[in-house]
Amino acid sequence: MMSGPDVWLLAALVAAVALAGWLGWRLRREPAQELERARADLSRRLTELFSLQELAYVLADSVELDRIAEQVAQYAARFIRCDGALVAMADESAAGVRVVAARGTLASLAGREVSAARGGLVGAAMEQGHLQVAEADEEEQPQLLDDVRVRRALVAPLRAHGVSVGAVAVSAETPGAFDDGDLRLVSTVATHAALALANAKFFDLVLAGKQQWETTFDALNDGIAVVDAEGCIRRANRALGELLRTPLPDLVGSRLAPALFGHPDELTELLDAVRSGRGQPSLTRRSERLDRMLRIGASRLGGRGDGWVVALIEDVTEQKALESQLLQSEKLAAVGQLVSGVAHELNNPLTSIGGLSEFLMEQPSTSARDREHLRVIHEQAERAARIVRNLLTFARKGPTDVGDIDLNDIAQRATSLITYELRLRKIELDLRLSKGLPRVYGDRFQMQQAVLNLLTNAIQAVSRNPPDRPRVVRVTTAPRDGLVMLRVADTGPGVPDDIASHIFDPFFTTKAPGEGTGLGLSITYGIVEGHRGRIEVQRGAEGGAMFTVTLPASDRTPDAGPTPEAAELAGATPLPSRCVLLVDEDPAVRQMIGVLFSHDGHRVDAARDASHGAALLAAGAYDLVIADPRAAVSAGETFADVLARHDPNFARRTIFLTADVRPETEEWLRQLGVRYFRKPFNVRDLKTAAAVMLATASSRTL
């Protein structure tokens, strides 16, 4: 098949032969003058033909629009009798004309952009699709383009595929320019230049689209691979190369399944289903080779029937970890809801058990043997209450408790929650708590969660120890130069040096799938940082991991506790008999508190419910009210509402007792400004608070 320039050469030769024959015929029949004109015409025609052939080679040699336009303008200025030449193209973005190339007297127009309204002869040729020829008359010169006027102009439209894409224009200032040969040559040049320029423009569009597609292809965060019928990668994007830690050139030609999973048949079912048109399934599986969780989707490559598919590879490791964490959070929320209700029900019996056992221990008539039994009962009640509080803390259902906290107490609470697991796994707990440890300021519940996370991490570490290696978790506290240190060490395998800098990163875990989300240490790190502290990991003396938490000691003045006057009022100095109203719906609590105050000589009216309490309050006067504030008198009205309506200053002679563990209840009680106790409470604390209030009660106002 001949190329474009070869066709031009053949056409030129044919034309030359034809012209030579015609000239020979003329030489035999015409006089000498006619023969000279014919000879000149033949020479010009041959020059045009070979010039067009040269232009054809130039146009076929490039697909760059600007270069083609430059060559056309240069050719027109060289072979057409003119002073200047230009090539203009339609500017689609501005709905006007842009001069792409210019020569001679029109060279200053190169690069100029004008609106369609100022297109002149160039715009008219493009709009009408016809050759425009103009010559100056006595009044004015024709407008070639914009504000440029010339004496003579010849403009041919560049039409390709039935659309005007531009124009070729030449101008001259000399008389007698632009004969029929010039018109013919400009038209011929315009015809062939239009095709070359249109092809160049289409090539630019295709190239721009290709570049845009490739940029988008590589900008995607998910891996993409074009896979042939044998499962080999034919094209891959940057994200896939980063996921596989392989340069893109090395990926081309390799098999996708082994690159992702290390096994050649891992994706066979997925790719076969896509090639056979049985839908577009997806596969989610962990890659042991990459230590990542991957989701792979695939679809047939459009326009190809040879089994090529496009595979989308998503790294969903963090997404799955978040889903796992969300599921865990939902479980904890459900547990917290259950614990909250159970705690409310347990706190009332624990209050009566602890209170009555303490009361009986203080009675002179109680024998030493009975006192010892009662002490056991009291301690176990306190232990049960402590377990309930710890469960509330773990489930994050307890009220916010920000203030000075004792890390020794935090450590003891956290370890009490894991005692059973330690026994089950045969792990020894070594608790070494420093006496007189300074307090730190912070959130009790957050700090307990942080310590519990460290303990859980240590238990999981030592659980993997071989039988001949000891299983020990050691918790230590100590003061250190104005700081307070808590350390959790274990005898597990320890933390390798190459991952020590990553263990506090979110979702980083060395555990097998399903054993952890990689968030425990990250959460602990955030809690410690939020308390202006720091956490470090080192290799312990016994080879395991050692986590050290360092927190600033609190500079707040510690609570001095009950004043001597209050203590004296609570025990040593008998108070005059007072009237006490007790409102609590739990009979055991009513009996315990009634015994406490009636034993001291006070009259106690125990209301069986809130409505009964409201009736007693309206009928009599009381020096002290001890009540459950949330007890409902009627729909939408609590006993606290009744108290506030009865006396706006009720807080001076009221003590609230609540088993409600919700944070909003805690905040509500603080806003009321009423002395309150959470069940189960210490009997001595209740009696001390009551003694202070009763000592100041000079008259019965409630």
Side-chain angles (χ1 to χ4, degrees):
M1 182 179 293
M2 292 187 293
S3 63
D6 295 333
V7 173
W8 271 101
L9 179 59
L10 178 62
L13 291 174
V14 172
V17 171
L19 284 172
W22 176 77
L23 179 60
W25 179 78
R26 290 287 298 272
L27 287 174
R28 293 191 298 271
R29 301 181 63 90
E30 298 291 339
Q33 186 178 4
E34 290 296 329
L35 290 175
E36 185 62 28
R37 282 199 300 270
R39 189 180 293 109
D41 187 42
L42 174 60
S43 177
R44 181 176 180 182
R45 292 291 184 92
L46 289 174
T47 301
E48 290 178 0
L49 286 173
F50 284 104
S51 298
L52 288 172
Q53 178 197 3
E54 180 182 349
L55 179 62
Y57 275 110
V58 171
L59 295 181
D61 190 47
S62 176
V63 291
E64 297 180 12
L65 188 145
D66 290 346
R67 175 173 168 76
I68 292 174
E70 289 284 349
Q71 294 296 332
V72 172
Q74 182 177 348
Y75 176 88
R78 177 181 173 187
F79 293 103
I80 299 174
R81 291 176 296 175
C82 64
D83 299 320
L86 65 81
V87 176
M89 298 292 293
D91 190 353
E92 299 174 357
S93 61
V97 178
R98 181 173 66 91
V99 179
V100 183
R103 287 287 187 273
T105 57
L106 302 179
S108 61
L109 291 176
R112 182 178 297 189
E113 298 179 4
V114 299
S115 63
R118 299 183 60 83
L121 291 172
V122 173
M126 293 171 58
E127 181 179 356
Q128 298 173 17
H130 300 300
L131 189 70
Q132 301 290 319
V133 183
E135 185 172 353
D137 55 22
E138 296 180 355
E139 297 181 357
E140 64 175 350
Q141 295 180 337
Q143 178 191 10
L144 178 65
L145 182 70
D146 200 11
D147 57 354
V148 177
R149 295 183 177 274
V150 297
R151 290 187 59 82
R152 293 174 179 82
L154 176 59
V155 184
L158 298 172
R159 291 183 61 82
H161 311 293
V163 179
S164 291
V165 296
V168 177
V170 293
S171 66
E173 300 296 326
T174 58
F178 306 147
D179 58 12
D180 292 343
D182 295 324
L183 270 64
R184 183 176 60 252
L185 184 57
V186 169
S187 297
T188 304
V189 170
T191 299
H192 296 286
L195 290 174
L197 289 170
N199 290 338
K201 192 172 184 180
F202 292 150
F203 180 81
D204 286 346
L205 290 174
V206 172
L207 183 62
K210 178 177 180 293
Q211 292 174 344
Q212 184 178 15
W213 178 84
E214 288 179 342
T215 301
T216 305
F217 188 71
D218 280 332
L220 294 173
N221 292 327
D222 297 324
I224 299 178
V226 178
V227 184
D228 63 18
E230 285 72 36
C232 295
I233 300 173
R234 294 304 178 187
R235 183 69 187 272
N237 69 341
R238 173 190 53 80
L240 183 60
E242 292 178 354
L243 177 65
L244 298 176
R245 306 181 190 93
T246 305
L248 287 181
D250 296 343
L251 278 179
V252 177
S254 63
R255 294 178 64 83
L256 180 62
L260 292 176
F261 298 103
H263 195 279
D265 300 326
E266 195 71 28
L267 298 177
T268 300
E269 184 177 351
L270 170 67
L271 298 180
D272 288 347
V274 172
R275 293 187 183 107
S276 62
R278 301 196 305 268
Q280 299 179 2
S282 63
L283 172 72
T284 301
R285 189 165 300 173
R286 184 174 185 84
S287 168
E288 299 299 335
R289 180 178 181 274
L290 303 176
D291 193 25
R292 310 295 291 174
M293 183 70 72
L294 303 179
R295 177 188 295 136
I296 303 173
S299 61
R300 283 187 292 183
L301 188 61
R304 298 185 67 104
D306 50 6
W308 284 37
V309 299
V310 178
L312 177 67
I313 300 96
E314 300 177 78
D315 183 352
V316 294
T317 307
E318 295 186 2
Q319 177 184 336
K320 289 298 181 182
L322 283 173
E323 290 175 358
S324 177
Q325 181 66 14
L326 179 60
L327 180 61
Q328 184 69 11
S329 298
E330 292 176 351
K331 289 180 179 178
L332 286 178
V335 170
Q337 198 72 22
L338 174 64
V339 169
S340 179
V342 170
H344 186 277
E345 295 301 320
L346 286 178
N347 282 335
N348 280 322
L350 290 175
T351 298
S352 58
I353 294 171
L356 284 174
S357 60
E358 186 175 358
F359 169 74
L360 292 174
M361 280 193 295
E362 294 177 352
Q363 302 307 307
S365 58
T366 303
S367 65
R369 181 178 179 181
D370 291 341
R371 189 172 287 110
E372 180 62 23
H373 295 328
L374 291 168
R375 185 186 63 79
V376 174
I377 294 173
H378 187 265
E379 288 178 353
Q380 294 305 306
E382 286 189 341
R383 179 186 177 190
R386 190 162 54 249
I387 292 172
V388 170
R389 288 195 299 270
N390 291 343
L391 285 173
L392 289 170
T393 300
F394 182 71
R396 300 305 300 268
K397 287 295 181 179
T400 303
D401 194 357
V402 178
D404 287 341
I405 55 179
D406 183 1
L407 282 186
N408 285 344
D409 180 62
I410 294 294
Q412 289 174 333
R413 287 173 179 264
T415 53
S416 69
L417 285 173
I418 60 170
T419 301
Y420 174 74
E421 188 172 5
L422 291 172
R423 289 200 305 267
L424 184 65
R425 297 174 182 255
K426 296 182 173 58
I427 297 173
E428 177 187 349
L429 176 65
D430 185 3
L431 203 59
R432 303 181 183 183
L433 306 181
S434 175
K435 295 182 179 180
L437 190 70
R439 291 176 176 263
V440 297
Y441 184 76
D443 187 323
R444 172 184 300 275
F445 303 119
Q446 287 190 3
M447 286 308 304
Q448 183 163 331
Q449 180 183 0
V451 176
L452 192 61
N453 287 346
L454 294 177
L455 289 170
T456 302
N457 200 65
I459 290 173
Q460 292 176 346
V462 299
S463 296
R464 298 193 292 269
N465 282 0
D468 58 340
R469 184 174 177 82
R471 298 186 175 192
V472 180
V473 173
R474 183 171 292 107
V475 182
T476 309
T477 60
R480 179 188 294 174
D481 300 329
L483 303 173
V484 182
M485 181 271 293
L486 182 142
R487 177 174 291 159
V488 178
D490 61 68
T491 58
V495 180
D497 295 337
D498 58 336
I499 66 170
S501 60
H502 300 290
I503 60 172
F504 296 114
D505 295 344
F507 308 111
F508 181 84
T509 180
T510 59
K511 301 181 180 69
E515 291 187 8
T517 62
L519 288 173
L521 289 178
S522 175
I523 292 173
T524 301
Y525 183 88
I527 292 174
V528 174
E529 286 284 307
H531 284 73
R532 298 180 298 116
R534 45 185 302 197
I535 180 171
E536 300 173 315
V537 61
Q538 298 170 315
R539 181 168 292 277
E542 298 175 88
M546 181 172 65
F547 290 86
T548 302
V549 176
T550 307
L551 298 168
S554 175
D555 55 1
R556 293 159 51 92
T557 303
D559 187 5
T563 63
E565 293 81 3
E568 183 179 6
L569 289 171
T573 305
L575 292 173
S577 177
R578 302 293 189 182
C579 293
V580 178
L581 175 61
L582 174 60
V583 181
D584 197 291
E585 296 181 350
D586 190 280
V589 174
R590 292 200 303 268
Q591 180 180 358
M592 185 270 293
I593 296 178
V595 168
L596 288 178
F597 286 91
S598 60
H599 183 268
D600 290 338
H602 304 301
R603 193 192 83 191
V604 179
D605 289 346
R608 59 182 176 272
D609 53 35
S611 299
H612 184 204
L616 292 175
L617 185 65
Y622 295 94
D623 301 294
L624 177 66
V625 174
I626 301 175
D628 180 350
R630 290 294 196 187
V633 177
S634 60
E637 185 179 38
T638 65
F639 189 74
D641 298 328
V642 173
L643 277 173
R645 188 172 64 250
H646 183 77
D647 180 9
N649 298 318
F650 72 95
R652 294 181 299 176
R653 291 178 175 80
T654 302
I655 296 176
F656 283 153
L657 306 177
T658 180
D660 193 340
V661 297
R662 293 176 299 175
E664 55 266 29
T665 299
E666 178 97 357
E667 182 62 26
W668 174 64
L669 290 172
R670 287 177 178 172
Q671 291 177 357
L672 287 178
V674 181
R675 187 75 166 89
Y676 67 92
F677 292 92
R678 290 198 300 267
K679 298 177 181 177
F681 50 81
N682 186 282
V683 171
R684 291 189 182 86
D685 293 341
L686 176 62
K687 291 182 66 176
T688 299
V692 172
M693 289 185 176
L694 290 173
T696 59
S698 58
S699 61
R700 297 175 180 175
T701 57
L702 282 172

